[in-house]
Amino acid sequence: MGAQSNIIKNNILTETISFEQDGQGKTKGTAAPNEGFEYGSLEWWHETVDIEKLDELLRSFARLFQVGVCLLTPKGRKVILVSVSEFCDYVHSIRKGKAICDACDKRALRTSLKQGDIHIYTCSNGLTDLCAPLHINGRLAGFLASGQVQPGLTGDAELEAISRRWTFVRNDEERAFLMEKYRQLPVMDETELKRALEIIRLLSTQIVELCEINLARQKILEQSLLLSQQRQKSAGMEHALHRAQLKALRSQINPHFLFNSLNCIARLALFEAADRTVEMTEQLADYLRYTLQEQGEHGLVSLGEELQCVRSYLAIYRVRFGDRLSFFIKEDPEVRECLVPFMLIQPLAENALIHGLEPSLREGRLLLTAKKDGDAIHVVLRDNGVGFKASGFREGMGLANVRKRLSLYYGKSASLDVRSVPCGGTRVELRLPEKPVNLP
């Protein structure tokens, strides 16, 4: 089941949670407004974080663990909502059902804030959910919620009893429909669900901190330029510059914390003989190390590094799919050091997984080759997924972004060709010069 994602930019939750306040009316645990925005507010998230990348990360985890994920502000406003449950989507489409769910969620957020840790609970509809406060640099930036799963296999009699709680149901036909959707929900125990949220919380925290580093670096450049243009170095501006530089230098250690934490998770899993968890954590660390690295000049990386990123990405998916997914990546040694735009190939592999192999019922196979063809690099990606009809094909954001970057770096010297046969798989062919024609 594909994950539906909503990035919330306007007021989506008009009722806010009333947390305990101090004598001055400020919420305890939150800091004063930062750059004009209250810390953790909806506006702060959109100003501080690359929301599109964070949304992509949460969607990937939702698909990997088959759980719903929601990022909320300290006052309970939704920033990102990723739903994998048709059951929950339908309940929220009913006004009374949504009101009951919202009230249940607010109680859970209050409890998790009071506990200061992950709070696992059974929602008003009988599903296992959990939520946890998200603290960044000692300040409450919001909450992460996850779940929408069955606590165990539910028998007919038990499900019938659960369905009697659904006071929002309008007729027997609707009740029967919701019971069927309930049966389709994944089954996950509390330990697995808690582990999934811990990883999401860790990664979300690191992404925010890395974004704050970028903001600090940008502020340094802007202030340096202003000082140069004005040829004046007032004491106040120098002080602000030094503070921004100090923050950037101190924050540079944050990526090390991320990878050290992932290494700890891998070691703990190794001690517990959880081989699949070890494999996924190590591959995830490699993948994130690549995606969070500072690219070389003009945003270029070697083709060998890019293909290794694709290997890590596919290996993470293979942990989930098991024997249902096999892949083979081969590149000629002479093309490994060729420079290509960062994250050029990975979106093509992600498209093949999500749109080609995931919906297929048969064993999925993916083949990726890269070789020299005269003065050009020739990359071909094939899958045996569901394919599509050319007449109904609509190019998504991933392919569109790849085309834009090809045009930016190579002009008309590069080409991207997509061919597919319904039920017969898809072939993506990429041709580009050895070196970019334009360097942005």
Side-chain angles (χ1 to χ4, degrees):
M1 185 183 300
Q4 297 180 358
S5 175
N6 294 306
I7 300 178
I8 315 301
K9 296 186 178 180
N10 300 313
N11 293 342
I12 194 68
L13 186 62
T14 55
E15 297 179 277
T16 58
I17 300 175
S18 299
F19 293 129
E20 184 181 357
Q21 297 183 331
D22 61 20
Q24 297 177 339
K26 293 183 179 179
T27 303
K28 290 185 178 180
T30 59
N34 182 16
E35 299 297 331
F37 299 127
E38 182 180 358
Y39 193 87
S41 67
L42 190 61
E43 296 78 11
W44 177 89
W45 277 99
H46 282 274
E47 180 71 18
T48 305
V49 182
D50 187 333
I51 287 291
E52 298 291 341
K53 286 187 178 180
L54 183 56
D55 174 66
E56 182 180 350
L57 174 66
L58 296 185
R59 283 191 290 109
S60 296
F61 269 89
R63 287 193 298 267
L64 189 62
F65 290 101
Q66 284 296 285
V67 297
V69 182
C70 185
L71 172 65
L72 304 102
T73 71
K75 293 185 178 180
R77 295 173 67 188
K78 294 180 177 68
V79 182
I80 297 174
L81 173 63
V82 184
S83 175
V84 296
S85 165
E86 292 184 27
F87 173 86
C88 293
D89 289 343
Y90 189 88
V91 172
H92 289 178
S93 71
I94 304 172
R95 185 174 181 179
K96 184 178 178 181
K98 183 179 184 302
I100 294 174
C101 288
D102 287 346
C104 179
D105 291 342
K106 289 177 185 178
R107 289 193 297 270
L109 295 185
R110 291 192 188 96
T111 302
S112 72
L113 183 64
K114 185 177 181 180
Q115 294 175 347
D117 200 358
I118 294 177
H119 171 52
I120 301 176
Y121 63 100
T122 301
C123 77
S124 56
N125 295 318
L127 301 179
T128 298
D129 288 333
L130 52 84
C131 60
L134 181 60
H135 288 95
I136 299 170
N137 294 329
R139 293 178 289 182
L140 180 66
F143 295 89
L144 273 170
S146 185
Q148 299 179 350
V149 297
Q150 297 185 66
L153 290 175
T154 307
D156 291 342
E158 186 179 358
L159 180 54
E160 181 67 30
I162 292 174
S163 73
R164 294 304 166 190
R165 305 180 195 172
W166 306 339
T167 57
F168 53 84
V169 172
R170 292 165 290 198
N171 52 59
D172 291 340
E173 182 180 354
E174 190 170 62
R175 187 181 306 278
F177 171 80
L178 283 172
M179 289 174 69
E180 181 59 31
K181 293 301 177 185
Y182 189 99
R183 291 188 181 94
Q184 296 172 8
L185 291 168
V187 176
M188 183 179 291
D189 61 37
E190 291 184 359
T191 302
E192 291 178 303
L193 197 56
K194 188 174 182 179
R195 184 183 297 124
L197 190 72
E198 280 286 18
I199 295 175
I200 296 173
R201 182 165 64 170
L202 171 66
L203 297 179
S204 299
T205 300
Q206 291 302 309
I207 283 181
V208 172
E209 292 182 353
L210 288 171
C211 289
E212 288 186 328
I213 294 173
N214 292 334
L215 286 178
R217 289 172 177 168
Q218 182 179 354
K219 187 178 295 184
I220 292 172
L221 293 175
E222 291 174 351
Q223 291 180 351
S224 298
L225 179 61
L226 182 62
L227 288 171
S228 175
Q229 290 174 340
Q230 295 179 345
R231 296 183 180 182
Q232 295 178 352
K233 296 185 177 181
S234 65
M237 293 180 71
E238 283 186 316
H239 182 64
L241 176 61
H242 293 326
R243 287 185 62 186
Q245 288 173 331
L246 182 61
K247 178 178 179 181
L249 291 173
R250 287 176 176 172
S251 299
Q252 284 174 353
I253 64 171
N254 287 331
H256 299 293
F257 171 72
L258 168 62
F259 299 122
N260 288 340
S261 299
L262 289 173
N263 287 333
C264 288
I265 294 173
R267 289 175 185 173
L268 287 173
L270 183 63
F271 291 145
E272 296 171 358
D275 296 337
R276 294 179 65 201
T277 304
V278 172
E279 179 186 354
M280 189 182 76
T281 305
E282 290 176 345
Q283 295 293 349
L284 179 62
D286 290 341
Y287 177 74
L288 289 172
R289 187 176 289 109
Y290 178 75
T291 58
L292 297 177
Q293 72 177 346
E294 290 189 23
Q295 292 84 56
E297 190 176 7
H298 306 298
L300 299 173
V301 296
S302 71
L303 182 58
E305 290 177 300
E306 182 73 8
L307 293 177
Q308 187 57 43
C309 166
V310 176
R311 287 188 179 94
S312 298
Y313 179 80
L314 294 175
I316 293 171
Y317 255 82
R318 189 166 56 187
V319 173
R320 172 186 163 194
F321 281 90
D323 296 336
R324 281 191 55 210
L325 173 64
S326 61
F327 65 88
F328 178 74
I329 299 177
K330 181 180 180 182
E331 73 272 25
D332 289 347
E334 56 187 330
V335 301
R336 287 176 184 160
E337 298 305 317
C338 294
L339 296 179
V340 297
F342 177 68
M343 295 296 276
L344 181 70
I345 312 295
Q346 187 272 344
L348 304 179
E350 182 173 4
N351 261 2
L353 279 175
I354 296 173
H355 302 296
L357 300 180
E358 250 191 48
S360 178
L361 298 178
R362 59 184 174 179
E363 178 183 342
R365 294 192 301 275
L366 190 147
L367 173 65
L368 176 59
T369 59
K371 62 182 182 180
K372 192 82 173 291
D373 187 7
D375 294 332
I377 301 172
H378 186 209
V379 179
V380 177
L381 188 147
R382 302 186 186 91
D383 68 69
N384 67 335
V386 295
F388 56 84
K389 292 182 179 179
S391 59
F393 175 64
R394 287 184 59 188
E395 195 167 272
M397 184 180 297
L399 280 178
N401 285 340
V402 170
R403 289 194 190 277
K404 288 179 182 177
R405 297 169 71 205
L406 286 175
S407 176
L408 178 65
Y409 282 90
Y410 302 99
K412 296 182 179 180
S413 302
S415 64
L416 177 64
D417 183 54
V418 181
R419 299 183 183 182
S420 187
V421 177
C423 301
T426 301
R427 172 190 169 99
V428 179
E429 187 172 354
L430 179 63
R431 287 184 180 274
L432 56 154
E434 286 186 73
K435 297 180 180 179
V437 177
N438 306 311
L439 293 177

